[in-house]
Amino acid sequence: MVIKSSEVQWLTRHTMDPLGEVFRYENRIFRIINDEKREYVIDLFNKGIMKEMIEKGFFVNTWINEDVRIEGRENSLVLEHSVVPHLSVRYEWSVNMFIELRTMIARFSIWLLQHGYELLDCHAWNVAFIGCKPIYMDLGSIVPSNSCGLTGWRIFKNEWVDRLRWIEQQRMDDKLFRALNFSGMVLQSENISGLIGSHKAKIEDIIEYRLYDNSIKSPRKIIEFAANTCRNILKIDNEKTNKYKIRRYRKYAEFKRIQCKDGMRSSYSDQGVEGKQIINDERFSFYVSLIKNLKEKDNIKTSFEIAGNAGLLSQLLLEHDIVEHACVSDYDVKAIDNGFLRCRDNENVKKKISFAVIDIMSTIENITNISYQRYKSDIVIALAVTNHLILTQNVKLSVIVDILERYTKKYVVVEFMPLGLWAGDDENCPPIPKWYTFEWFLDGLKTKFDIVVVEQISKNRICVLGQRK
């Protein structure tokens, strides 16, 4: 198959990747290898390096595709990578999702150094989650060890260590941490070090870099002479440098959960971390049965849950084999963090459930459009969401219905709460607006959906199942 260059979506044309360019074609991901790197890449396969790092779960599944060629470069080597579904991005990660990624990169770096390679460019855009499992995606980051000094370690420290120091030192909450990882708000290493690093730590870093990175040259002859003298006395060679890097990475090669200061927090954000919830709750049982029956009538494979009790219902759908993959989103960072922590070690669901911090009411158009594309699923579950948006945020029902339609391929499950935000006789509860009626709610849904099921499951919860028109 010869593909015209004009027919593909180039993903790395804005960068100077010495290994080759990555492109998308018909929902498949390929990398065309530069001719001068052909033997290097083939060697990775022949030595078994590629096979082993894929089998160990470090790297996305990759193989040589001899049936695909690019017009004008028919003799070039072409690799194909497995597509990562529901690809989350850095500003959608919670704090402990970030730590999980850091742990994987540290372990991967140690393994590579032990095999004669290392990661040059381990920034956050080169990693992803398959479910709750972190994975590395950029082959161009893998280079022969000792070919980049301490550049790889410096990038790791900037991207994955220094950013978390604010959290570890309790200087900011999870909301600000997420903002720090947002595209366009990423600080450079020198800025981060200046804000959080002690003078002693900075001096130690400078000394270590001078000793273990020969690529660093000082314009001052006396400093360069002193550094060379120390390297000679200590007999620092490539082997010692590699051991130094391994020691530094090993410090971060074990997952250590961080309890950060509260950022955004809802009434359910503490649910699910230890998995002690009563999963046979009547409400959950109703929705499990409803979606199970729907699957038997229509081929429901994927679900997208919005602000749903840290993903408890999504977890149940997976454990009962009702869906093949579930995405859980919430604007509450703490809820996403707790759902992720609950599921990351659950063998039954960890590769099939994804978590992402998403504000469905975001007004940043390019971000929301990309979010619709990545998380669009067969069924959208938005239970105790619409009443909060309508009664506390004054969001128009038409806007909510439009968002639900854009996320779903087939169905939507929503709840109407006739008593408003709270049930009971609390005198402090605000009065329910006269226009806030079930008929008004149903008429709004009918603009985009055909109503399939209406059932009152409790005093203050009416379930509505709609099918996209």
Side-chain angles (χ1 to χ4, degrees), residues 22 55 61 76 80 86 101 115 204 236 259 377 380:
V22 179
E55 288 177 347
N61 189 28
S76 295
E80 184 169 359
H86 310 287
L101 286 162
H115 289 76
E204 289 175 350
I236 296 176
Q259 184 68 44
S377 302
V380 168

Side-chain angles (χ1 to χ4, degrees), residues 319-336:
E319 290 177 343
H320 287 78
D321 295 321
I322 295 173
V323 296
E324 296 176 5
H325 193 278
C327 295
V328 179
S329 73
D330 206 316
Y331 59 88
D332 186 332
V333 182
K334 188 75 71 175
I336 290 298

Side-chain angles (χ1 to χ4, degrees), residues 307-326:
N309 296 293
L312 286 171
L313 178 56
S314 293
Q315 181 178 338
L316 286 173
L317 294 177
L318 289 167
E319 290 177 343
H320 287 78
D321 295 321
I322 295 173
V323 296
E324 296 176 5
H325 193 278

Side-chain angles (χ1 to χ4, degrees), residues 331 361 385-396 421:
Y331 59 88
M361 299 308 302
V385 178
T386 56
N387 59 310
H388 285 281
L389 292 174
I390 293 168
L391 296 177
T392 66
Q393 305 299 318
N394 296 318
V395 178
K396 293 180 180 178
L421 296 178

Side-chain angles (χ1 to χ4, degrees), residues 191-302:
N191 297 328
I192 294 176
S193 298
L195 288 169
I196 64 176
S198 67
H199 291 297
K200 180 181 177 183
K202 292 176 190 174
I203 293 171
E204 289 175 350
D205 279 348
I206 291 171
I207 293 173
E208 288 178 330
Y209 288 145
R210 292 292 181 191
L211 289 176
Y212 291 99
D213 194 337
N214 288 319
S215 65
I216 300 175
K217 304 296 182 183
S218 174
R220 298 182 180 180
K221 292 184 179 181
I222 185 63
I223 293 178
E224 193 61 29
F225 174 78
N228 288 329
T229 301
C230 289
R231 277 195 288 265
N232 292 331
I233 293 173
L234 297 174
K235 297 181 179 179
I236 296 176
D237 54 13
N238 287 342
E239 184 178 354
K240 279 194 174 182
T241 300
N242 279 348
K243 287 181 179 179
Y244 165 78
K245 295 175 187 176
I246 290 173
R247 285 199 308 272
R248 297 300 297 265
Y249 283 119
R250 192 161 281 149
K251 183 178 179 181
Y252 306 99
E254 296 298 327
F255 180 84
K256 295 179 181 178
R257 176 187 170 193
I258 286 182
Q259 184 68 44
C260 58
K261 292 169 64 178
D262 293 341
M264 293 180 288
R265 189 187 185 101
S266 75
S267 60
Y268 60 79
S269 64
D270 278 332
Q271 294 191 29
V273 177
E274 305 299 333
K276 296 179 181 178
Q277 282 63 38
I278 301 173
I279 61 173
N280 60 352
D281 175 87
E282 289 185 7
R283 178 174 172 238
F284 281 176
S285 296
F286 170 82
Y287 285 114
V288 167
S289 298
L290 176 70
I291 300 172
K292 182 179 180 181
N293 292 334
L294 192 62
K295 179 189 176 182
E296 294 172 355
K297 296 176 182 179
D298 201 344
N299 193 19
I300 302 297
K301 293 183 178 180
T302 57

Side-chain angles (χ1 to χ4, degrees), residues 19 53 70-71 202 264 278 312 318 322 367 408 430 434:
L19 197 64
M53 68 186 190
I70 294 292
E71 187 178 53
K202 292 176 190 174
M264 293 180 288
I278 301 173
L312 286 171
L318 289 167
I322 295 173
I367 290 178
T408 187
K434 292 182 179 180

